[in-house]
């Protein structure tokens, strides 16, 4: 899936042909609920992505630092402890303050509907809850990764 | 009896193997005579029939599926090996305790919810703490930002515990606290509140979870490396055995293992392996098994595969009684009783069509009762969205009350005992558990298995397989991968305002300004000296620190400086 071809202006662009999507998974709050993120790590890997997992309890600062050092396409944040509005925002703010625009930010966890627009506004997309088909998540990540990769390539 | 070169688990497995029926002619003949011709003529649904433990199921079970020593393995209720129940009269003697896990926002928010539940017929308290509390961070730590009161109530110091328990008679209710890494500190706070209220310590009753092994396995809420926590649990165990006789200082928990993605058989095996570890720890610290084993209790998940859950709970009782008697030499009958709390499964709840969750919870609660639970928490239908609203919690509690008072389900003890299927499945679960005990022993014991990541990987593997089966439509969740509705109406959920955080932070600030800081520093120094000496029991020092209003984080930091922190092994 991640080796997919993206058609743009009638030209085929093999975005991920030489280098598959690189994704960093992280739970940047105080939260041990890791069932979802561990399943996703395997699913992304099975879908051909290069997967990094930041482990439990990384700070938002260290997540961004790892993302930059590893030159990932996507950072996927997961929280099931209700702190997503505060903590996802911290990650987004740090990225913005550092001027990072070639890494996509996606989220997931126990996120009430009314919080989703607030997260989208700060650039955290997806925000899928438990019970979302993996295919939906993989597709979303792939789309966002393609945007990020294009920005990287246009540099 | 054990043979040379064979461990205890091998000998149990051999025993099971020897007792297995050789053939099942009734089933085989019926299959050839009636089933297959019928299937050929009328067709059948081509799908796998299996359960969470990957045990394949036949169409029907008969007497010939049961082992030769079947009757001995059952026993009557209240008799060894307790497969049918730990008490002779079960729910005719005492209804299970309806214990609703609750806690959110500030201590006073939680105090109001606890009183609301007591008013509506709840019979025991159960307190949920927020993430900073579970990890030993105070409300004013920058890492706690956004997390205060979100997943449970915030407790940074003794004054918070005083507020939670305000106006509640600790001599009358028992209180369960879901707290692990800082369990000794929260126990100390509960003891301190009782002392302030002049309630003798032999009259307070309750449970702290304090099962640290399953934290490394599943829930992942730790502060220090495993050995440090194990030492603290030992101190609490020894202190409470001597001073707080009705305090259950460990609730050996499968709930989180299951929620993390394990099968029922894995939940069964890993909890019991954890339990045996604590038994060995007690014996090693100089206690007699019969002095502390009666205070160990368990906590199981009741998930959606009805008979599998019941079989798991029956098998758990039998294994515990057998091993405590045979391997650890327990003589006191109470040491052999596996008493347990049950919570219905959070994982089986869906955010889609949330009212369906009421039905799921009902089925799971029925399994817990048929499995012989001592207390029960039923989840609320809105919990895939948020912490439960008052209305949703009430329905969950009423679900238990309907099961207890209207259905007749609890009237007869172990009504499924003697069911060929349930007995066969109970035996199979037991066998799976013994296999895991053997593997774990070969890996160097449960602690080693956890430190190597073996247990975590087993669970992650099962969890991934289950997800794949859902993706492939081999397993169904209504509203998720079948009977999906396009436009779902939103439900109203509990909102936790950020005010909980500002309130907690400013209260803590006032406390730090007004307490006797010299008394605090001295208590923390004394605690540090106690913790540095592995022979010393740290519990009295923790109580003194708590009483001086040292905060949870200050007390935890003493340990952090000595023991360091923990990084888990790589699992994916």
């Amino acid at each position: 899936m991640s080796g997919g071809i993206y058609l743009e202006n009638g030209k085929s662009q093999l975005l991920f042909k030489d280098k598959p999507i690189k994704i960093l998974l992280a739970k940047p709050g105080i939260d041990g609920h890791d069932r979802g993120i561990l399943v996703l790590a395997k699913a992304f890997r099975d879908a051909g992505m290069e997967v990094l997992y930041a482990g439990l309890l990384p700070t938002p600062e260290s997540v961004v630092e790892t993302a930059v050092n590893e030159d990932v396409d996507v950072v996927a944040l997961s929280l099931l402890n209700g702190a997503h509005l505060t903590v996802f925002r911290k990650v987004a703010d740090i990225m913005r303050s550092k001027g990072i625009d070639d890494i996509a930010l996606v989220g997931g966890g126990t996120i009430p509907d009314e919080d989703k627009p607030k997260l989208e506004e700060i650039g955290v997309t997806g925000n899928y809850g438990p019970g979302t088909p993996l295919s939906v998540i993989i597709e979303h990540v792939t789309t966002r990764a393609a945007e990020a990769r294009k920005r990287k390539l246009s540099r | 009896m054990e043979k040379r070169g064979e461990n205890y688990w091998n000998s149990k497995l051999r025993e099971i193997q020897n007792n297995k029926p050789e053939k099942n002619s009734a089933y085989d003949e019926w299959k050839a005579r009636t089933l297959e011709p019928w299937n050929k003529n009328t067709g059948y649904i081509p799908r796998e029939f299996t359960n969470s433990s990957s045990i394949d199921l036949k169409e029907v079970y008969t007497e010939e599926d049961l082992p030769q020593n079947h009757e001995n393995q059952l026993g009557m209720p209240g008799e060894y090996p307790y497969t049918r129940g730990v008490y002779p009269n079960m729910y005719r003697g005492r209804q299970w305790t309806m214990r609703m896990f609750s806690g959110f926002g500030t201590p006073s928010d939680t105090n109001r919810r606890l009183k609301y539940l007591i008013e509506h017929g709840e019979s025991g308290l159960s307190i949920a703490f927020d993430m900073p509390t579970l990890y030993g961070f105070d409300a004013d730590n920058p890492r706690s930002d956004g997390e205060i009161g979100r997943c449970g109530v915030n407790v940074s110091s003794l004054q918070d515990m005083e507020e939670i328990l305000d106006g509640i008679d600790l001599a009358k209710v028992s209180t369960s606290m879901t707290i692990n890494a800082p369990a000794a500190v929260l126990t100390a706070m509960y003891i301190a509140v009782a002392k302030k209220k002049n309630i003798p310590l032999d009259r307070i009753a309750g449970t702290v979870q304090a099962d640290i092994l399953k934290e490394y396995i599943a829930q992942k809420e730790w502060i220090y490396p495993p050995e440090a926590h194990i030492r603290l649990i030992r101190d609490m165990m020894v202190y409470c055995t001597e001073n707080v006789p009705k305090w259950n200082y460990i609730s050996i928990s499968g709930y989180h293992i299951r929620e993390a993605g394990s099968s029922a058989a894995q939940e069964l095996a890993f909890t019991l392996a954890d339990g045996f570890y604590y038994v060995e720890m007690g014996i090693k610290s100089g206690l007699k098994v019969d002095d502390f084993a009666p205070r160990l209790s368990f906590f199981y998940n009741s998930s959606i595969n009805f008979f599998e859950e019941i079989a798991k709970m029956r098998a758990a009782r039998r294994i515990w009684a057998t091993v405590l008697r045979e391997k650890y030499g327990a003589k006191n009958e109470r040491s052999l009783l596996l008493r347990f709390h049950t919570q219905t499964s959070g994982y089986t709840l869906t955010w889609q069509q949330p009212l369906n969750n009421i039905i799921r919870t009902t089925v799971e609660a029925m399994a817990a009762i048929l499995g012989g639970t001592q207390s029960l928490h039923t989840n609320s239908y809105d919990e895939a969205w948020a912490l439960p609203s008052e209305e949703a919690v009430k329905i969950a509690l009423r679900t238990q009350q309907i099961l207890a008072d209207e259905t007749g389900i609890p009237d007869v003890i172990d009504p499924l005992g003697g069911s060929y299927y349930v007995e066969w499945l109970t035996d199979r679960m037991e066998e799976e558990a013994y296999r895991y005990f053997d593997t774990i022993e070969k890996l160097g014991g449960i602690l080693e298995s956890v430190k190597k990541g073996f247990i975590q990987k087993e669970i992650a593997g099962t969890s991934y397989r289950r997800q794949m089966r859902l993706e492939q439509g081999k397993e169904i969740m209504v509203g998720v991968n079948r009977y999906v509705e396009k436009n779902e109406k939103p439900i109203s959920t509990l909102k936790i305002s950020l005010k909980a955080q500002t309130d907690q932070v400013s209260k803590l600030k006032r406390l730090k300004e007004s307490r006797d800081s010299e008394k605090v520093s001295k208590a923390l120094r004394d605690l540090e000296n106690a913790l540095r000496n592995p022979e010393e029991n740290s519990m009295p020092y923790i109580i003194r620190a708590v009483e001086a209003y040292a905060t949870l984080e200050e007390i935890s930091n003493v340990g952090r400086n000595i023991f360091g922190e923990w990084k888990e092994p790589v699992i994916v």
Side-chain angles (χ1 to χ4, degrees):
Chain A
M1 177 147 330
S2 59
I5 297 166
Y6 287 83
L7 293 168
E8 203 176 58
N9 306 328
K11 267 198 316 194
S12 68
Q13 201 179 355
L14 291 163
L15 267 182
F16 303 119
K17 186 173 168 276
D18 299 322
K19 191 172 172 272
I21 294 174
K22 193 167 182 183
I23 183 167
L24 171 67
L25 302 179
K27 294 179 69 66
I30 311 177
D31 183 19
H33 298 94
D34 63 358
R35 178 181 188 150
I37 204 164
L38 293 179
V39 165
L40 281 173
K42 288 192 188 202
F44 291 150
R45 202 166 282 161
D46 286 355
M49 300 183 200
E50 185 180 348
V51 177
L52 304 173
Y53 175 41
L56 294 170
L57 309 175
T59 58
E61 292 80 8
S62 72
V63 170
V64 176
E65 199 184 311
T66 309
V68 172
N69 290 343
E70 293 286 343
D71 192 25
V72 302
D73 301 299
V74 183
V75 175
L77 305 173
S78 159
L79 281 180
L80 291 87
N81 68 354
H84 46 271
L85 284 180
T86 314
V87 177
F88 288 4
R89 184 187 296 276
K90 279 186 189 172
V91 177
D93 285 351
I94 297 169
M95 284 180 50
R96 196 174 320 110
S97 73
K98 289 181 185 276
I100 301 164
D101 65 349
D102 59 353
I103 296 176
L105 205 49
V106 300
T110 315
I111 299 174
D113 267 348
E114 70 238 39
D115 291 352
K116 290 178 183 171
K118 297 175 198 159
L119 292 171
E120 298 248 341
E121 228 168 79
I122 57 167
V124 184
T125 63
N127 304 309
Y128 299 113
T132 309
L134 292 176
S135 53
V136 171
I137 300 173
I138 292 168
E139 197 183 310
H140 180 76
V141 164
T142 308
T143 309
R144 294 294 319 274
E147 294 163 15
R149 185 63 70 89
K150 279 179 205 157
R151 278 202 205 101
K152 279 191 210 300
L153 294 176
S154 68
R155 290 260 145 87
Chain B
M1 285 297 104
E2 293 179 44
K3 281 185 178 173
R4 196 201 290 266
E6 193 184 54
N7 66 32
Y8 174 74
W9 313 120
N10 294 143
S11 74
K12 296 309 290 179
L13 281 166
R14 192 163 42 78
E15 207 178 295
I16 289 168
Q17 221 53 44
N18 289 344
N19 281 316
K20 266 197 184 164
E22 277 166 26
K23 60 177 170 33
N24 193 331
S25 40
Y27 172 79
D28 293 340
E29 284 163 20
W30 166 78
K31 198 171 172 182
R33 182 178 66 232
T34 307
L35 176 66
E36 277 169 357
W38 177 272
N39 276 347
K40 205 183 256 173
N41 288 337
T42 66
Y44 58 95
I45 304 161
R47 74 171 186 95
E48 291 171 31
F49 290 87
T50 182
N51 55 25
S52 83
S53 310
S54 302
I55 296 171
D56 291 327
L57 305 174
K58 295 197 293 188
E59 297 82 359
V60 69
Y61 289 84
T62 72
E63 197 176 354
E64 287 177 317
D65 288 298
L66 307 183
Q68 289 143 17
N69 60 345
H70 169 64
E71 284 298 319
N72 305 339
Q73 288 193 328
L74 274 184
M76 288 297 280
E79 291 181 2
Y80 187 81
Y82 305 98
T83 314
R84 306 202 64 182
V86 286
Y87 301 123
N89 55 5
M90 287 303 287
Y91 304 131
R92 291 188 180 206
R94 187 180 171 183
Q95 206 174 57
W96 66 89
T97 307
M98 297 180 188
R99 203 185 276 288
M100 304 298 281
F101 186 41
S102 40
F104 64 92
T106 63
S108 58
D109 292 333
T110 296
N111 177 263
R112 271 194 301 278
R113 177 65 71 88
L114 292 175
K115 285 177 176 162
Y116 172 86
L117 286 164
I118 292 171
E119 194 185 309
H120 285 88
E122 172 177 74
S123 39
L125 306 181
S126 175
I127 303 173
F129 299 96
D130 69 359
M131 288 291 168
T133 308
L134 294 168
Y135 283 90
F137 293 121
D138 285 345
D140 57 1
N141 186 306
R143 293 230 62 185
S144 305
D145 184 20
E147 317 230 10
I148 298 301
R150 296 264 154 198
C151 273
V153 60
N154 178 256
V155 173
S156 299
S157 79
L158 176 60
Q159 68 173 359
D160 295 325
M161 189 64 98
E162 290 166 355
E163 277 178 34
I164 293 173
L165 300 171
D166 182 51
I168 294 169
D169 187 351
L170 300 190
K172 288 216 175 96
V173 293
S174 67
T175 306
S176 169
M177 297 195 281
T178 298
I179 192 79
N180 291 280
V185 185
L186 274 287
T187 296
M189 286 180 183
Y190 199 86
I191 288 172
V193 173
K195 280 163 79 178
K196 277 195 147 183
K197 293 185 176 201
N198 289 320
I199 300 167
L201 294 188
D202 59 3
R203 294 203 43 211
I204 59 169
T207 305
V208 279
Q209 202 162 70
D211 170 10
I212 201 72
L213 286 170
K214 71 93 181 41
E215 292 301 324
Y216 299 101
I217 293 173
Q219 190 166 241
K220 320 269 170 105
E221 291 160 5
W222 53 69
I223 300 174
Y224 319 122
E227 288 81 0
H229 281 301
I230 285 162
R231 185 263 169 105
L232 285 166
I233 293 169
R234 180 206 69 185
D235 290 355
M236 188 169 56
M237 192 167 174
V238 172
Y239 181 87
C240 293
T241 303
E242 288 161 3
N243 301 289
V244 200
K246 287 200 264 183
W247 198 254
N248 298 307
Y249 33 72
I250 304 179
S251 166
I252 305 154
S253 305
Y255 188 80
H256 323 81
I257 293 176
R258 190 65 175 283
E259 290 292 298
S262 85
S263 69
Q266 288 171 329
E267 179 194 357
L268 174 71
F270 300 157
T271 46
L272 289 166
D274 289 349
F276 302 146
Y277 181 89
Y278 296 126
V279 168
E280 289 175 16
M281 180 180 86
I283 294 170
K284 260 189 239 154
S285 59
L287 299 171
K288 290 200 186 73
V289 65
D290 286 325
D291 289 341
F292 67 88
R295 293 251 66 86
L296 300 178
S297 63
F298 283 79
F299 173 20
Y300 281 111
N301 195 307
S302 191
S303 195
I304 198 74
N305 192 317
F306 188 67
F307 293 107
E308 187 184 20
E309 297 308 310
I310 297 166
K312 174 188 78 185
M313 294 168 193
R314 299 173 86 246
R317 274 194 295 274
R318 182 156 77 211
I319 297 170
W320 184 252
T322 308
V323 176
L324 263 280
R325 180 189 263 186
E326 292 181 358
K327 191 167 193 276
Y328 298 114
K331 304 266 186 310
N332 180 352
E333 196 200 6
R334 292 193 52 83
S335 304
L336 310 178
L337 307 184
L338 183 143
R339 300 164 300 128
F340 67 102
H341 171 69
T342 305
Q343 180 169 341
T344 56
S345 164
Y347 169 75
T348 61
L349 304 184
T350 63
W351 59 264
Q352 297 93 335
Q353 306 172 37
L355 291 177
N356 294 347
N357 292 330
I358 299 173
I359 317 299
R360 295 187 176 100
T361 298
T362 306
V363 171
E364 294 167 356
M366 278 169 58
I369 298 161
L370 291 167
T373 195
Q374 275 58 62
S375 71
L376 181 60
H377 167 100
T378 30
N379 287 331
S380 301
Y381 66 83
D382 55 357
E383 290 192 69
W385 285 106
L387 293 197
S389 68
E390 213 164 71
E391 182 214 54
V393 168
K394 192 156 80 178
I395 293 174
L397 177 61
R398 293 281 183 258
T399 303
Q400 292 198 42
Q401 290 162 341
I402 290 168
L403 290 172
D405 297 332
E406 295 183 15
T407 63
I409 290 171
D411 291 357
V412 172
I413 302 167
D414 189 31
L416 293 171
S419 147
Y420 302 132
Y421 172 41
V422 171
E423 295 298 355
W424 171 84
L425 194 53
T426 304
D427 294 351
R428 286 288 292 115
M429 299 297 278
E430 183 180 30
E431 188 180 342
E432 292 298 316
Y434 278 113
R435 266 187 227 295
Y436 263 122
F437 301 152
D438 182 37
T439 308
I440 289 166
E441 182 152 328
K442 285 181 179 135
L443 287 170
I446 185 74
L447 183 57
E448 265 316 295
S449 306
V450 171
K451 285 166 80 174
K452 283 178 183 148
F454 167 76
I455 307 283
Q456 298 92 315
K457 282 180 195 157
E458 287 287 295
I459 295 170
T462 305
S463 157
Y464 192 56
R465 269 198 303 282
R466 151 99 184 171
Q467 188 62 37
M468 286 300 122
R469 289 176 59 79
L470 275 171
E471 302 283 323
Q472 295 156 358
K474 288 183 179 166
E475 281 185 41
I476 303 301
M477 282 178 104
V478 170
V480 175
N481 62 353
R482 193 174 284 182
Y483 316 114
V484 177
E485 284 176 23
K486 281 260 154 45
N487 299 310
E488 299 225 16
K489 274 193 227 118
I491 55 167
S492 67
T493 54
L494 180 79
K495 309 278 181 296
I496 293 153
S497 92
L498 281 172
K499 196 172 169 296
Q501 179 161 328
T502 48
D503 283 0
Q504 282 300 93
V505 172
S506 56
K507 204 171 75 185
L508 187 58
K509 188 161 176 281
R510 285 197 301 276
L511 174 81
K512 284 182 176 173
E513 286 161 2
S514 64
R515 65 186 183 177
D516 180 343
S517 58
E518 246 165 66
K519 208 170 150 194
V520 174
S521 328
K522 183 177 182 314
L524 293 174
R525 269 198 314 276
D526 292 348
L527 173 61
E528 185 184 337
N529 290 333
L531 285 178
R532 285 196 190 279
N533 176 4
E535 304 304 315
E536 186 94 55
N537 190 316
S538 60
M539 205 55 204
Y541 300 92
I542 297 174
I543 295 173
R544 253 170 264 156
V546 159
E547 285 176 333
Y549 291 91
T551 68
L552 173 64
E553 183 168 331
E554 288 165 340
I555 295 171
S556 306
N557 282 347
V558 175
R560 283 188 180 104
N561 290 333
I562 299 173
F563 306 123
E565 297 185 33
W566 168 255
K567 185 94 186 142
E568 75 166 345
V570 175
I571 295 159
V572 289

